[in-house]
Amino acid sequence: MSQYIVDDREMPKFRVDRAVMVDPDVFAREKELIFDRCWLYVGHETELAKPNDFRTRTVGGRPVIFFRDSKGVIRVWVNSCPHRGATLCREPSGNARFMTCFYHGWSFSNAGKLVSLPDDESYGPDFDRPGLAAPAQVDSYRGFVFATFDPEAPDLRTYLAGAADYLDLVCDQSNEGMRVLAGTHEYSAKANWKLLVENSFDGYHAVTTHQRYFEMAIAARSGSEGDAVRARATGAGSTNTLVQSRGIDLGNGHAVTAGSPVTGGIFGRPLTPAGQAEREKRFRGFAETYGEAWVDRMRGTRNLVIFPNLVVIDLVMGVVIRKIDPVSPDYMEVSAWHLAPPDEGPELHRQRLDNFLTFWGPGGLASPDDVEALETCQRSFASRGELRYSDISRGMNKERPTGSDEFQMRTWWRRWNVIVTGEELPPEEHAPLDGVWAGTRRDPADTTTSAPATAG
């Protein structure tokens, strides 16, 4: 048995010691072994529309400046003056060619070079003029910018492994490139950061925690459409081959709950006939570019977690980018953005925003429910002497785990365990992906008919 995890394949049973949610020593190891070494999300390139645009962020516990320099190059700088450490950029966003420290007046270009300092002659002609510090590596994939503080970390594309396919499924939904809309949803929770990671691709809680939302969604639809909403939320179909959602291991701790085409676009308020017609027209165009097999997957839904703390959810007519920042063992800060296709019509865009805000917004029917649930969990961990473990066993006995099972969470926890404790637990064996789950992307340069999907 692992120090923190019970992974019993014979029972089967998977449990996580609740000490990992409260122990300061565990939190310190996470900071050193996970957040100092893994690739971490910084922001999306479209947030920096013009040269000299910047955003200030926290990445891996460090303050950083997310910059597009004067030549248009994306940069990430540590937001600390190399002179005495003061915060260099104190605004959340803006446009600037230079950054001047308010403490002693040292000034830096947005390319990171020290360009002036008061009383320069007092430092002598041979003074080594320090530039801004930066993460060891910065790279991007399809507009998503990541950084790692580990110079020995593998390249980003290798790190993303199978998660790259799911970012492609999101990004291919626009011919002009998906863009982050203006505004950031910032909130906090008095709970351990790993609880929100679990929650972000936990389909099991949907109907019970978000009962009000599903009552609204079902009432807005009739007959088979209402049944489809109910089935997607509860994982109906898990006992036969018509599984409507799957939990999928993407490698390196990344995982996803992916919904089939049957489930895509069924949540929230129904689209108007004009909105639905435009949506279908867009999908037909994507099929001509990428092939029917790929677009069948695109029509579905996906709750993607990129280890350790990035969440991308394509659901309810909108794509959420969620960054989870641990602050202490029992407190996290969360930043979320809305990613959308800029080339859709104004009416479809209006309906997208309406559905998005109804579910994901600050006053929506999802996020406040989730925060309340996680905070009650954290408070109950005071009783860990009597209730030592949390159970994450659902679906271990299934040939094909669904999105309402917990296979994807166990995948994440096994990666956490090998990094934090050094003990590697064997992966679960389930039926290989086939049908819609294995549909591949055709190269847009290839005009031939796409081949049928094969088993993954």
Side-chain angles (χ1 to χ4, degrees):
M1 186 176 71
S2 168
Q3 181 179 0
Y4 298 116
I5 291 177
V6 176
D7 190 357
D8 182 347
R9 305 302 172 86
E10 294 184 6
M11 177 68 68
K13 175 174 61 181
F14 190 96
R15 294 178 179 174
V16 175
D17 194 323
R18 294 175 176 178
V20 305
M21 305 296 186
V22 298
D23 190 337
D25 291 336
V26 171
F27 186 74
R29 271 185 280 166
E30 290 174 340
K31 291 175 64 177
E32 176 187 357
L33 300 174
I34 296 177
F35 289 91
D36 285 359
R37 300 184 185 181
C38 289
W39 283 94
L40 306 172
Y41 181 68
V42 180
H44 198 270
E45 291 179 0
T46 59
E47 296 180 79
L48 308 175
K50 303 185 298 295
N52 307 319
D53 278 357
F54 70 85
R55 307 273 178 171
T56 53
R57 297 273 153 85
T58 298
V59 176
R62 300 158 171 83
V64 303
I65 312 170
F66 180 38
F67 233 125
R68 187 181 294 275
D69 72 16
S70 300
K71 295 182 179 179
V73 177
I74 297 294
R75 309 273 191 174
V76 180
W77 302 116
V78 174
N79 193 6
S80 174
C81 181
H83 175 222
R84 298 276 285 278
T87 298
L88 185 60
C89 185
R90 296 183 292 157
E91 299 295 328
S93 63
N95 184 280
R97 293 179 59 201
F98 303 99
M99 296 166 284
T100 301
C101 179
F102 85 104
Y103 194 12
H104 294 95
W106 285 32
S107 187
F108 300 84
S109 72
N110 54 31
K113 295 183 179 180
L114 178 60
V115 293
S116 68
L117 65 165
D119 196 19
D120 198 341
E121 59 273 13
S122 294
Y123 288 91
D126 298 325
F127 177 61
D128 183 13
R129 302 165 71 90
L132 297 182
Q137 301 183 60
V138 175
D139 203 352
S140 66
Y141 184 81
R142 301 297 301 269
F144 290 78
V145 179
F146 295 79
T148 177
F149 300 96
D150 181 6
E152 303 300 321
D155 66 272
L156 176 62
R157 183 60 185 83
T158 299
Y159 181 80
L160 289 175
D165 268 5
Y166 284 85
L167 292 179
D168 289 340
L169 284 164
V170 169
C171 295
D172 285 347
Q173 294 178 43
S174 171
N175 294 318
E176 297 181 6
M178 299 285 278
R179 297 180 189 173
V180 168
L181 301 184
T184 305
H185 181 195
E186 297 181 328
Y187 58 101
S188 60
K190 296 177 181 178
N192 188 274
W193 68 281
K194 298 184 289 297
L195 290 174
L196 185 54
V197 170
E198 290 181 347
N199 180 85
S200 295
F201 54 2
D202 171 21
Y204 192 22
H205 81 286
V207 171
T208 50
T209 305
H210 305 308
Q211 180 181 358
R212 293 175 302 158
Y213 180 81
F214 283 100
E215 287 175 351
M216 179 204 75
I218 293 169
R221 300 170 184 270
S222 60
S224 60
E225 284 193 341
D227 293 339
V229 173
R230 186 179 294 104
R232 170 65 177 93
T234 59
S238 60
T239 59
N240 58 50
T241 58
L242 300 176
V243 176
Q244 294 187 354
S245 63
R246 286 290 299 264
I248 303 170
D249 180 353
L250 302 175
N252 293 335
H254 321 313
V256 67
T257 57
S260 75
V262 174
T263 68
I266 64 173
F267 290 142
R269 297 184 179 93
L271 296 179
T272 63
Q276 186 62 39
E278 182 186 343
R279 181 177 169 85
E280 289 304 315
K281 181 179 178 181
R282 290 176 63 81
F283 280 129
R284 289 195 300 270
F286 298 141
E288 292 175 2
T289 302
Y290 302 114
E292 292 286 354
W294 186 251
V295 174
D296 276 349
R297 290 176 65 186
M298 189 188 292
R299 287 174 179 272
T301 60
R302 55 214 118 252
N303 288 51
L304 169 67
V305 172
I306 296 178
F307 190 93
N309 66 329
L310 173 64
V311 179
V312 180
I313 304 178
D314 187 0
L315 186 71
V316 194
M317 276 295 293
V319 180
V320 178
I321 303 174
R322 176 186 293 160
K323 182 169 73 77
I324 305 168
D325 290 311
V327 177
S328 67
D330 58 357
Y331 185 76
M332 72 179 101
E333 294 178 345
V334 185
S335 302
W337 301 269
H338 186 178
L339 189 71
D343 50 346
E344 66 184 359
E347 179 60 20
L348 184 59
H349 187 70
R350 182 194 66 79
Q351 294 175 63
R352 174 188 296 276
L353 294 179
D354 178 67
N355 271 300
F356 183 90
L357 290 172
T358 299
F359 192 70
W360 300 114
L365 297 176
S367 298
D369 289 341
D370 290 331
V371 170
E372 172 65 14
L374 304 188
E375 290 186 344
T376 65
C377 291
Q378 192 70 37
R379 289 195 294 270
S380 77
F381 294 156
S383 64
R384 64 190 180 279
E386 294 72 36
L387 291 168
R388 179 176 175 182
Y389 292 104
S390 291
D391 189 278
I392 312 179
S393 303
R394 182 174 165 92
M396 287 185 80
N397 61 336
K398 289 183 179 179
E399 182 182 16
R400 293 177 174 85
T402 72
S404 62
D405 292 320
E406 295 166 339
F407 169 62
Q408 62 278 359
M409 295 156 65
R410 294 190 293 273
T411 294
W412 189 95
W413 274 111
R414 291 188 181 104
R415 182 60 180 167
W416 179 94
N417 189 67
V418 72
I419 292 176
V420 173
T421 72
E423 181 183 16
E424 186 165 1
L425 300 170
E428 287 182 37
E429 298 295 332
H430 294 283
L433 298 176
D434 55 12
V436 66
W437 316 110
T440 56
R441 183 180 190 266
R442 187 178 67 199
D443 186 333
D446 180 7
T447 59
T448 60
T449 303
S450 59
T454 57

